[in-house]
Amino acid sequence: MVAKFMSTEWIRLVGKQWDTHPEIQKDLKNFNATWEYYIEDRPDIPHVMLFCKAGKVIYAGPSDGRRRDFIMWTSMDYWQKILSGEISGKSALMTRRLKFKGSMMTAMKYMTPFNIHLNILGEIPVDFDI
């Protein structure tokens, strides 16, 4: 199944895929956080979010106004490069191509699950024609 990028359907598939990764579950077993994602050059596309509690996704859907611990955004072009694996998430973050708002210290502490998380985004078959 192919989902439109940044759609509710897409982020819900991301959440389901997240929950199949035992390493991320183990590394984040004592971690609760919300992530919001959006496309910098497409303000017409609503933001989506994940809420993780004890390593499991308990909400994946439209951004609903709750407090976000991390916000990540970049251009459509760079999202495509990150999701295709052309650019690693870590490299995109360190070169500031992937913009990030939140505790960088926390992100660095959890870099392995952060990278898995970005890889998961790329595991979902996606339609970028939005």
Side-chain angles (χ1 to χ4, degrees):
M1 168 183 273
V2 177
K4 296 281 187 185
F5 183 56
M6 288 289 171
S7 67
T8 298
E9 177 185 19
W10 174 78
I11 198 67
R12 287 185 178 151
L13 289 170
V14 169
K16 286 180 183 178
Q17 188 72 0
W18 172 298
D19 285 341
T20 69
H21 283 264
E23 187 175 5
I24 203 168
Q25 312 263 324
K26 180 180 155 247
D27 290 351
L28 297 178
K29 68 182 178 196
N30 297 314
F31 187 73
N32 302 326
T34 56
W35 287 266
E36 181 173 277
Y37 312 88
Y38 69 93
I39 307 167
E40 183 175 46
D41 52 347
R42 290 296 305 272
D44 57 311
I45 305 293
H47 299 198
V48 293
M49 69 185 302
L50 288 175
F51 178 27
C52 163
K53 185 172 185 177
K56 293 262 192 194
V57 172
I58 62 169
Y59 176 81
S63 186
D64 62 5
R66 76 180 83 191
R67 180 186 63 83
R68 282 113 36 230
D69 298 294
F70 305 102
I71 303 172
M72 293 189 291
W73 69 99
T74 191
S75 68
M76 178 65 89
D77 182 53
Y78 270 93
W79 275 122
Q80 289 176 308
K81 289 177 181 180
I82 293 165
L83 271 58
S84 73
E86 183 180 333
I87 299 172
S88 75
K90 184 176 181 178
S91 174
L93 188 63
M94 295 305 177
T95 60
R96 300 180 193 245
R97 296 288 188 184
L98 177 62
K99 281 81 169 189
F100 177 87
K101 184 176 180 184
S103 169
M104 186 59 78
M105 186 187 290
T106 300
M108 292 295 118
K109 178 179 177 183
Y110 294 103
M111 187 50 73
T112 297
F114 178 78
N115 280 326
I116 294 169
H117 154 234
L118 287 174
N119 290 337
I120 289 169
L121 298 180
E123 291 174 6
I124 306 304
V126 66
D127 179 359
F128 287 103
D129 187 22
I130 53 176

